[in-house]
Amino acid sequence: VAQSTLRMFMRYDRQAVERKKHQLSLSQALHSAIEQDQLFLHFQAKFDLHKQALSGCEVLVRWHHPEFGIVSPSLFIPLAEQQGQIIEIGYWVLKQAFQALVNWNKKGIHIGKMAVNISGRQLMEPDFIEWVKHHLTQHGVNAAQLEFELTETFLLENFDDCVNKLKVLSELGISIAIDDFGTGYSSLAYLNKLPLNVLKIDRSLIADVESNLQTQSLVANIVRLAHDLNLRVVVEGVETMDQLQLVQQMGCDVIQGYFIARPQSEQGYIALLSSAQSQ
Ligand code: C2E
Ligand code: CA
Ligand code: CA
Ligand code: CA
């Protein structure tokens, strides 16, 4: 084998080892992330295409590690799911979200629903529903201001276990969204058996909706079927005016993406709301 090839392999190997090491230290660091107050929330606005107004937000967790910097949730959430810390993180996120809602209500800031991502593992916790009920009351949060986002993959893989839990949450007044739709089975047949209010089309479909005619007809079909089932359609990952116009033509109800707003701090989000209101 040529020297250069060998060197290349060794480099790859070293990179793989470094990655593993990094993952290991991340997973150790994750244990203390909550304790050491390293997690915080960002809020990303949603925009209602019919009302042409901001209509709520999605809560996105962030982890600021003193050494690693900001660690992406697409890295640490799967890790937390594997290691079980997702339960603690999930409850932390919900508490913070409730607190933010209460603060905004006090300030007279009323803006649609606040959507929170719920890990499937969290939903499966035996006392999840009791926890939610208890903390809604304790914080004085109106369930109608909340939306829970659960991924398509999880819902369809754990269909029977989910249905009843989601029904209870739905009866409490919490809106239920199926997230990342179009990446998994995309089995529309199941949709009407779940107590859903919202269908969120995954960002990956929007990324090539302009250039790929097949994706275009897929998205159009998803929108039509979702509307037949009385679901509101949220499109995530809208980055351009062209994408906005395209999904608007297809009848999507709400968009979310950098074109409207990036995820930002509570302060930044409130500033955005007040500038939108004064327009
Ligand atoms: P998600 O639920 O699909 O959230 C949307 C992701 O897309 C967010 O990434 C958001 O920052 C990003 N995004 C929004 N608009 C655009 C856009 O126009 N262009 C591009 N390129 N990206 C956009 P983020 O914040 O990195 O979160 C990644 C994933 O981590 C989330 O995907 C969600 O699955 C998970 N996650 C985040 N926060 C939580 C949480 O509190 N609990 C749980 N269980 N999962 C969370
Ligand atoms: Ca989400
Ligand atoms: Ca999503
Ligand atoms: Ca996604």
Side-chain angles (χ1 to χ4, degrees):
V1 187
Q3 277 295 321
S4 60
T5 318
L6 250 181
R7 265 201 302 276
M8 203 176 78
F9 271 121
M10 283 167 66
R11 194 160 58 230
Y12 274 132
D13 216 41
R14 222 174 308 135
Q15 277 174 357
V17 170
E18 284 305 313
R19 255 202 312 276
K20 262 264 152 322
K21 268 210 233 152
H22 183 60
Q23 229 185 18
L24 207 73
S25 29
L26 269 189
S27 76
Q28 279 160 356
L30 198 52
H31 286 293
S32 45
I34 294 185
E35 233 171 75
Q36 303 191 357
D37 219 15
Q38 293 166 355
L39 299 183
F40 60 101
L41 298 185
H42 267 178
F43 302 87
Q44 186 176 32
K46 298 186 190 186
F47 184 83
D48 187 313
L49 289 170
H50 307 296
K51 296 182 190 148
Q52 290 287 306
L54 296 179
S55 65
C57 68
E58 177 174 7
V59 172
L60 295 157
V61 68
R62 298 286 177 263
W63 177 19
H64 187 184
H65 187 273
E67 193 184 327
F68 307 132
I70 303 283
V71 186
S72 164
S74 34
L75 209 69
F76 76 82
I77 292 290
L79 205 61
E81 274 168 350
Q82 271 170 33
Q83 301 184 157
Q85 292 125 330
I86 190 64
I87 307 297
E88 203 187 337
I89 293 176
Y91 284 143
W92 183 88
V93 168
L94 275 173
K95 273 193 221 164
Q96 298 293 311
F98 290 180
Q99 198 54 58
L101 261 181
V102 171
N103 290 342
W104 299 352
N105 286 343
K106 273 191 204 138
K107 289 184 189 156
I109 303 169
H110 298 289
I111 118 116
K113 288 184 203 296
M114 177 186 271
V116 183
N117 293 288
I118 304 294
S119 155
R121 239 185 116 163
Q122 178 132 45
L123 183 70
M124 286 302 115
E125 276 290 283
D127 58 359
F128 178 67
I129 292 189
E130 280 314 309
W131 189 99
V132 171
K133 275 192 205 163
H134 175 79
H135 284 81
L136 282 175
T137 318
Q138 200 187 43
H139 285 82
V141 168
N142 179 357
Q145 289 185 289
L146 275 181
E147 188 158 284
F148 284 173
E149 298 189 0
L150 283 132
T151 64
E152 174 193 34
T153 317
F154 177 81
L155 289 184
L156 297 189
E157 276 173 3
N158 301 276
F159 189 79
D160 293 329
D161 292 333
C162 287
V163 179
N164 290 326
K165 288 205 164 194
L166 291 183
K167 276 191 182 141
V168 178
L169 292 171
S170 182
E171 277 157 17
L172 286 179
I174 298 172
S175 163
I176 309 290
I178 184 165
D179 200 1
D180 295 350
F181 194 83
T183 55
Y185 305 83
S186 298
S187 169
L188 292 150
Y190 282 100
L191 286 182
N192 65 348
K193 302 204 171 69
L194 289 165
L196 300 172
N197 307 93
V198 170
L199 182 149
K200 282 189 92 171
I201 299 180
D202 192 64
R203 200 170 80 210
S204 59
L205 293 182
I206 302 316
D208 66 358
V209 74
E210 286 165 284
S211 55
N212 187 331
L213 284 180
Q214 246 171 343
T215 310
Q216 225 170 80
S217 87
L218 178 62
V219 172
N221 275 312
I222 292 176
V223 175
R224 214 169 300 129
L225 281 155
H227 282 164
D228 283 346
L229 296 169
N230 280 322
L231 302 178
R232 276 156 58 80
V233 178
V234 178
V235 176
E236 63 179 19
V238 174
E239 295 183 354
T240 67
M241 187 62 182
D242 287 344
Q243 288 170 342
L244 183 155
Q245 282 171 340
L246 201 55
V247 300
Q248 183 161 33
Q249 279 161 21
M250 291 177 178
C252 293
D253 304 295
V254 173
I255 59 170
Q256 186 183 341
Y258 296 167
F259 186 73
I260 298 299
R262 294 207 167 229
Q264 49 199 320
S265 68
E266 181 169 354
Q267 236 179 355
Y269 176 65
I270 289 177
L272 173 78
L273 291 182
S274 44
S275 75
Q277 265 159 15
S278 61
Q279 262 170 32

